[in-house]
Amino acid sequence: MTQRDTLIDSKELVIVITGADSGFGAGIVEDLHRRGGYTIYATCLTKEAVDKYQARDSTRLRATLVDVTKQDDINRLRAQVEAECPQGVYCVFNNAGVYLGGFFDFSTEEGFQKIMDVNFMGVVRITKALVPSLRTYARSRHQAVLAGASQQKLPRARLLTITSVGARSNTPGFSGYSASKHATASLLDTIRIELSPWEIDVSMLEPTCAKTPLAASFELIAERNWKNADETIQRMYTPQFVRQWILNSYVVGVGGRGGCEFDC
């Protein structure tokens, strides 16, 4: 490693976060930027979100279009990060996720595939692409005495992923979503051990109740999937059943916790 590649200031800490358009991702980006001391790569699915970040004209906030289901997008992200941050990445934060569910009878095979492609394979793709940069950062902690401080004060490299309480508890209407989060949790439990020799800490966050656009979409998605089901399914699961199930699951179920909308 050359002197140019050596981490010389804690302010050079780099964080990459996926799914930064809204919800948890946008909130995390906002908090990190406000704290200062980080270079943040905020990956977004929409150009509108990228434009909003870029309008802030901050050298520490680098927004880019990334669809975690598209390998070309991820390859482009990896090339950008490696070119701009030869000191490596301190933290990769897998946040991108979708919900396309409803009861199993009126969910589709395509919906299950999409959920797994984003929530599970998206984590696999991003992690595969950026683990080399995490290793580079981990090595850089031991390469030189930092200006005015010991390199031991630098945090260890981190791989963070938002999974869900749904990975531990299976709820009606969330079969595909819970399966994708359970698969992700199993992956992380395994690579936590595999990456430990390189001093890369692997953690998962398992949220349950929060007001996010993802949570707000549950009712619309469930009703849309019911409407797209065949007539036999629609007769078995009436509109009244669907609305009552949504009410019980998302309103009454969390009403005692401040009335927030359910999110996993």
Short mmCIF file of all heavy atoms in Angstrom, two decimals, residues 17-34 40-46 49-50 52-53 56 61 93-96 162 211-213:
data_model
loop_
_atom_site.label_atom_id
_atom_site.label_comp_id
_atom_site.label_asym_id
_atom_site.label_seq_id
_atom_site.Cartn_x
_atom_site.Cartn_y
_atom_site.Cartn_z
N ILE A 17 -24.33 3.36 1.65
CA ILE A 17 -25.65 2.92 2.10
C ILE A 17 -26.58 2.77 0.92
O ILE A 17 -26.65 3.65 0.05
CB ILE A 17 -26.24 3.88 3.16
CG1 ILE A 17 -27.62 3.38 3.60
CG2 ILE A 17 -26.29 5.30 2.64
CD1 ILE A 17 -28.15 4.07 4.84
N THR A 18 -27.30 1.66 0.85
CA THR A 18 -28.23 1.41 -0.25
C THR A 18 -29.64 1.81 0.17
O THR A 18 -29.96 1.93 1.34
CB THR A 18 -28.23 -0.07 -0.66
OG1 THR A 18 -28.72 -0.87 0.43
CG2 THR A 18 -26.83 -0.53 -1.04
N GLY A 19 -30.49 2.04 -0.84
CA GLY A 19 -31.89 2.36 -0.57
C GLY A 19 -32.06 3.68 0.16
O GLY A 19 -32.83 3.78 1.11
N ALA A 20 -31.34 4.72 -0.30
CA ALA A 20 -31.34 6.00 0.41
C ALA A 20 -32.41 6.96 -0.10
O ALA A 20 -32.39 8.14 0.26
CB ALA A 20 -29.96 6.65 0.32
N ASP A 21 -33.33 6.48 -0.92
CA ASP A 21 -34.37 7.35 -1.47
C ASP A 21 -35.27 7.92 -0.38
O ASP A 21 -35.66 9.09 -0.42
CB ASP A 21 -35.25 6.58 -2.46
CG ASP A 21 -34.46 6.02 -3.63
OD1 ASP A 21 -33.66 5.10 -3.41
OD2 ASP A 21 -34.65 6.49 -4.75
N SER A 22 -35.65 7.08 0.58
CA SER A 22 -36.63 7.48 1.59
C SER A 22 -36.50 6.56 2.80
O SER A 22 -35.62 5.70 2.85
CB SER A 22 -38.06 7.41 1.02
OG SER A 22 -38.36 6.07 0.64
N GLY A 23 -37.40 6.74 3.78
CA GLY A 23 -37.46 5.84 4.91
C GLY A 23 -36.19 5.80 5.73
O GLY A 23 -35.51 6.81 5.94
N PHE A 24 -35.84 4.59 6.21
CA PHE A 24 -34.66 4.43 7.05
C PHE A 24 -33.41 4.96 6.34
O PHE A 24 -32.57 5.63 6.95
CB PHE A 24 -34.43 2.96 7.39
CG PHE A 24 -35.44 2.38 8.34
CD1 PHE A 24 -35.94 1.10 8.14
CD2 PHE A 24 -35.88 3.09 9.44
CE1 PHE A 24 -36.86 0.55 9.01
CE2 PHE A 24 -36.79 2.56 10.32
CZ PHE A 24 -37.30 1.29 10.11
N GLY A 25 -33.25 4.62 5.07
CA GLY A 25 -32.04 5.00 4.34
C GLY A 25 -31.83 6.50 4.31
O GLY A 25 -30.73 6.99 4.62
N ALA A 26 -32.87 7.25 3.95
CA ALA A 26 -32.76 8.70 3.90
C ALA A 26 -32.48 9.28 5.27
O ALA A 26 -31.69 10.22 5.43
CB ALA A 26 -34.04 9.30 3.31
N GLY A 27 -33.13 8.72 6.30
CA GLY A 27 -32.91 9.20 7.65
C GLY A 27 -31.48 8.97 8.12
O GLY A 27 -30.88 9.83 8.77
N ILE A 28 -30.92 7.82 7.79
CA ILE A 28 -29.55 7.50 8.19
C ILE A 28 -28.56 8.40 7.47
O ILE A 28 -27.62 8.92 8.09
CB ILE A 28 -29.25 6.01 7.91
CG1 ILE A 28 -30.10 5.13 8.83
CG2 ILE A 28 -27.76 5.72 8.10
CD1 ILE A 28 -30.14 3.68 8.40
N VAL A 29 -28.77 8.61 6.18
CA VAL A 29 -27.90 9.51 5.43
C VAL A 29 -27.94 10.91 6.04
O VAL A 29 -26.89 11.56 6.23
CB VAL A 29 -28.31 9.57 3.94
CG1 VAL A 29 -27.58 10.70 3.22
CG2 VAL A 29 -28.01 8.24 3.26
N GLU A 30 -29.12 11.39 6.35
CA GLU A 30 -29.28 12.72 6.92
C GLU A 30 -28.54 12.84 8.25
O GLU A 30 -27.84 13.83 8.51
CB GLU A 30 -30.76 13.02 7.13
CG GLU A 30 -31.09 14.48 7.36
CD GLU A 30 -30.78 15.35 6.17
OE1 GLU A 30 -30.96 14.89 5.03
OE2 GLU A 30 -30.34 16.51 6.38
N ASP A 31 -28.67 11.83 9.09
CA ASP A 31 -28.02 11.87 10.40
C ASP A 31 -26.51 11.83 10.27
O ASP A 31 -25.79 12.59 10.94
CB ASP A 31 -28.51 10.69 11.26
CG ASP A 31 -27.93 10.71 12.65
OD1 ASP A 31 -28.30 11.61 13.43
OD2 ASP A 31 -27.09 9.85 12.96
N LEU A 32 -25.99 10.96 9.40
CA LEU A 32 -24.55 10.86 9.22
C LEU A 32 -23.97 12.16 8.66
O LEU A 32 -22.90 12.62 9.07
CB LEU A 32 -24.21 9.70 8.29
CG LEU A 32 -24.44 8.29 8.85
CD1 LEU A 32 -24.28 7.26 7.76
CD2 LEU A 32 -23.48 8.01 10.01
N HIS A 33 -24.68 12.76 7.72
CA HIS A 33 -24.20 14.00 7.12
C HIS A 33 -24.19 15.12 8.15
O HIS A 33 -23.27 15.95 8.19
CB HIS A 33 -25.09 14.37 5.92
CG HIS A 33 -24.54 15.51 5.12
ND1 HIS A 33 -25.02 16.80 5.23
CD2 HIS A 33 -23.54 15.55 4.20
CE1 HIS A 33 -24.35 17.59 4.41
NE2 HIS A 33 -23.45 16.87 3.78
N ARG A 34 -25.18 15.15 9.00
CA ARG A 34 -25.26 16.18 10.03
C ARG A 34 -24.13 16.02 11.06
O ARG A 34 -23.60 17.00 11.57
CB ARG A 34 -26.61 16.11 10.74
CG ARG A 34 -26.85 17.20 11.77
CD ARG A 34 -28.30 17.25 12.20
NE ARG A 34 -28.77 15.97 12.70
CZ ARG A 34 -29.68 15.21 12.10
NH1 ARG A 34 -30.20 15.61 10.95
NH2 ARG A 34 -30.06 14.07 12.63
N ILE A 40 -20.19 9.95 2.41
CA ILE A 40 -21.35 9.06 2.32
C ILE A 40 -21.72 8.83 0.86
O ILE A 40 -22.02 9.79 0.13
CB ILE A 40 -22.56 9.66 3.06
CG1 ILE A 40 -22.17 10.04 4.49
CG2 ILE A 40 -23.73 8.70 3.05
CD1 ILE A 40 -23.08 11.10 5.09
N TYR A 41 -21.70 7.58 0.45
CA TYR A 41 -22.24 7.20 -0.86
C TYR A 41 -23.68 6.75 -0.65
O TYR A 41 -23.93 5.69 -0.06
CB TYR A 41 -21.40 6.08 -1.48
CG TYR A 41 -20.08 6.56 -2.02
CD1 TYR A 41 -18.98 6.71 -1.17
CD2 TYR A 41 -19.92 6.88 -3.36
CE1 TYR A 41 -17.77 7.17 -1.65
CE2 TYR A 41 -18.70 7.34 -3.85
CZ TYR A 41 -17.63 7.49 -2.99
OH TYR A 41 -16.42 7.94 -3.47
N ALA A 42 -24.62 7.57 -1.09
CA ALA A 42 -26.04 7.29 -0.93
C ALA A 42 -26.58 6.74 -2.24
O ALA A 42 -26.74 7.47 -3.22
CB ALA A 42 -26.80 8.56 -0.55
N THR A 43 -26.83 5.44 -2.29
CA THR A 43 -27.33 4.85 -3.53
C THR A 43 -28.85 4.90 -3.53
O THR A 43 -29.50 4.62 -2.53
CB THR A 43 -26.84 3.40 -3.73
OG1 THR A 43 -27.64 2.51 -2.95
CG2 THR A 43 -25.38 3.26 -3.33
N CYS A 44 -29.40 5.28 -4.67
CA CYS A 44 -30.84 5.50 -4.80
C CYS A 44 -31.38 4.76 -6.02
O CYS A 44 -30.66 4.56 -7.02
CB CYS A 44 -31.16 6.98 -4.95
SG CYS A 44 -30.49 8.02 -3.63
N LEU A 45 -32.64 4.41 -5.96
CA LEU A 45 -33.29 3.74 -7.08
C LEU A 45 -33.82 4.73 -8.09
O LEU A 45 -33.97 4.40 -9.27
CB LEU A 45 -34.44 2.85 -6.57
CG LEU A 45 -35.16 1.97 -7.59
CD1 LEU A 45 -34.20 0.97 -8.22
CD2 LEU A 45 -36.33 1.25 -6.93
N THR A 46 -34.11 5.96 -7.67
CA THR A 46 -34.73 6.95 -8.55
C THR A 46 -33.80 8.13 -8.79
O THR A 46 -33.05 8.55 -7.91
CB THR A 46 -36.04 7.48 -7.95
OG1 THR A 46 -35.77 8.20 -6.74
CG2 THR A 46 -37.00 6.33 -7.65
N ALA A 49 -34.40 11.16 -6.38
CA ALA A 49 -33.69 11.14 -5.10
C ALA A 49 -32.23 11.55 -5.27
O ALA A 49 -31.69 12.30 -4.45
CB ALA A 49 -33.78 9.74 -4.48
N VAL A 50 -31.60 11.07 -6.33
CA VAL A 50 -30.21 11.46 -6.60
C VAL A 50 -30.11 12.96 -6.81
O VAL A 50 -29.22 13.63 -6.24
CB VAL A 50 -29.67 10.71 -7.84
CG1 VAL A 50 -28.31 11.29 -8.26
CG2 VAL A 50 -29.53 9.23 -7.55
N LYS A 52 -32.01 15.28 -5.69
CA LYS A 52 -32.24 15.98 -4.43
C LYS A 52 -30.97 16.03 -3.59
O LYS A 52 -30.64 17.08 -3.00
CB LYS A 52 -33.36 15.28 -3.66
CG LYS A 52 -33.74 15.97 -2.36
CD LYS A 52 -34.90 15.26 -1.68
CE LYS A 52 -35.27 15.92 -0.35
NZ LYS A 52 -36.39 15.21 0.31
N TYR A 53 -30.26 14.92 -3.53
CA TYR A 53 -29.00 14.91 -2.78
C TYR A 53 -27.95 15.79 -3.45
O TYR A 53 -27.24 16.55 -2.79
CB TYR A 53 -28.46 13.49 -2.65
CG TYR A 53 -29.17 12.63 -1.63
CD1 TYR A 53 -29.75 11.41 -1.98
CD2 TYR A 53 -29.24 13.01 -0.29
CE1 TYR A 53 -30.39 10.61 -1.05
CE2 TYR A 53 -29.87 12.22 0.65
CZ TYR A 53 -30.44 11.02 0.27
OH TYR A 53 -31.07 10.24 1.22
N ARG A 56 -27.70 19.58 -2.92
CA ARG A 56 -27.13 20.09 -1.68
C ARG A 56 -25.67 20.49 -1.84
O ARG A 56 -25.09 21.16 -0.99
CB ARG A 56 -27.28 19.04 -0.58
CG ARG A 56 -28.72 18.69 -0.31
CD ARG A 56 -28.90 17.55 0.65
NE ARG A 56 -28.43 17.88 1.98
CZ ARG A 56 -28.74 17.16 3.05
NH1 ARG A 56 -29.50 16.09 2.94
NH2 ARG A 56 -28.28 17.51 4.24
N LEU A 61 -21.25 14.14 0.38
CA LEU A 61 -22.48 13.39 0.08
C LEU A 61 -22.51 13.08 -1.41
O LEU A 61 -22.69 13.98 -2.25
CB LEU A 61 -23.70 14.21 0.49
CG LEU A 61 -25.07 13.56 0.34
CD1 LEU A 61 -25.11 12.20 1.01
CD2 LEU A 61 -26.14 14.47 0.92
N PHE A 93 -23.61 -0.40 4.37
CA PHE A 93 -24.92 -0.47 5.05
C PHE A 93 -25.97 -0.92 4.04
O PHE A 93 -26.43 -0.14 3.21
CB PHE A 93 -25.28 0.91 5.62
CG PHE A 93 -26.28 0.87 6.74
CD1 PHE A 93 -26.09 1.63 7.88
CD2 PHE A 93 -27.42 0.07 6.66
CE1 PHE A 93 -27.01 1.61 8.92
CE2 PHE A 93 -28.34 0.04 7.69
CZ PHE A 93 -28.14 0.81 8.82
N ASN A 94 -26.35 -2.20 4.10
CA ASN A 94 -27.40 -2.74 3.24
C ASN A 94 -28.77 -2.36 3.81
O ASN A 94 -29.18 -2.88 4.84
CB ASN A 94 -27.29 -4.26 3.15
CG ASN A 94 -26.10 -4.72 2.36
OD1 ASN A 94 -25.96 -4.40 1.18
ND2 ASN A 94 -25.22 -5.48 3.00
N ASN A 95 -29.47 -1.48 3.11
CA ASN A 95 -30.75 -1.00 3.58
C ASN A 95 -31.88 -1.22 2.57
O ASN A 95 -33.04 -1.34 2.96
CB ASN A 95 -30.66 0.49 3.93
CG ASN A 95 -32.02 1.12 4.17
OD1 ASN A 95 -32.66 0.86 5.19
ND2 ASN A 95 -32.47 1.93 3.21
N ALA A 96 -31.56 -1.30 1.29
CA ALA A 96 -32.59 -1.42 0.25
C ALA A 96 -33.47 -2.63 0.49
O ALA A 96 -32.99 -3.72 0.81
CB ALA A 96 -31.94 -1.51 -1.12
N ILE A 162 -29.98 -4.02 7.39
CA ILE A 162 -31.30 -4.00 7.98
C ILE A 162 -32.05 -5.25 7.54
O ILE A 162 -32.29 -5.45 6.35
CB ILE A 162 -32.09 -2.74 7.58
CG1 ILE A 162 -31.47 -1.51 8.27
CG2 ILE A 162 -33.56 -2.87 7.95
CD1 ILE A 162 -32.24 -0.24 8.08
N LYS A 211 -42.62 4.54 11.04
CA LYS A 211 -43.38 5.19 9.99
C LYS A 211 -42.47 5.41 8.78
O LYS A 211 -41.64 6.31 8.77
CB LYS A 211 -43.94 6.52 10.48
CG LYS A 211 -45.04 6.38 11.52
CD LYS A 211 -45.60 7.73 11.91
CE LYS A 211 -46.75 7.57 12.91
NZ LYS A 211 -47.33 8.87 13.30
N THR A 212 -42.61 4.56 7.78
CA THR A 212 -41.81 4.67 6.56
C THR A 212 -42.72 4.49 5.36
O THR A 212 -43.81 3.93 5.47
CB THR A 212 -40.71 3.60 6.51
OG1 THR A 212 -41.33 2.30 6.35
CG2 THR A 212 -39.86 3.60 7.78
N PRO A 213 -42.26 4.92 4.16
CA PRO A 213 -43.04 4.67 2.95
C PRO A 213 -43.30 3.20 2.70
O PRO A 213 -44.32 2.82 2.14
CB PRO A 213 -42.16 5.29 1.85
CG PRO A 213 -41.41 6.38 2.54
CD PRO A 213 -41.11 5.82 3.91
#
